[in-house]
Amino acid sequence: FRRVLFRSNPAPVPQVADANPSADGKVYLWHRDTGQLVHVLEGHGGGSVNAVAWNRKHPGMFASASDDRTVRVWGFPPK
């Protein structure tokens, strides 16, 4: 048995409600108004994605940290 703690915070991007870490190594983006899955981001290797944090100065940018010992930086194109 292994205890896993996932950390996430609300997205500052109007169309995205949250970016959720997961046990399958992916990051899930959800639409703020509909609750529908918007996109699945793949880029981490094996293991869980344990945390997602949004960049306060650049609202379309966030980072995810995983059991594969990597931090990935993701972003939305500027409008």
Side-chain angles (χ1 to χ4, degrees):
F1 176 73
R2 187 177 140 211
R3 179 180 278 179
V4 177
L5 176 65
F6 296 114
R7 294 183 186 255
S8 181
N9 54 8
V13 179
Q15 299 82 4
V16 177
D18 206 356
N20 294 113
S22 68
D24 64 4
K26 299 173 185 168
V27 177
Y28 293 85
L29 301 177
W30 302 92
H31 192 278
R32 178 168 303 205
D33 297 327
T34 66
Q36 296 292 320
L37 181 63
V38 175
H39 199 72
V40 179
L41 300 172
E42 300 182 36
H44 286 287
S48 298
V49 175
N50 300 304
V52 172
W54 290 89
N55 184 320
R56 291 184 177 138
K57 291 193 178 204
H58 302 282
M61 182 183 294
F62 66 95
S64 58
S66 173
D67 284 347
D68 68 359
R69 297 181 174 182
T70 63
V71 173
R72 301 276 185 231
V73 177
W74 311 89
F76 297 98
K79 292 186 176 198

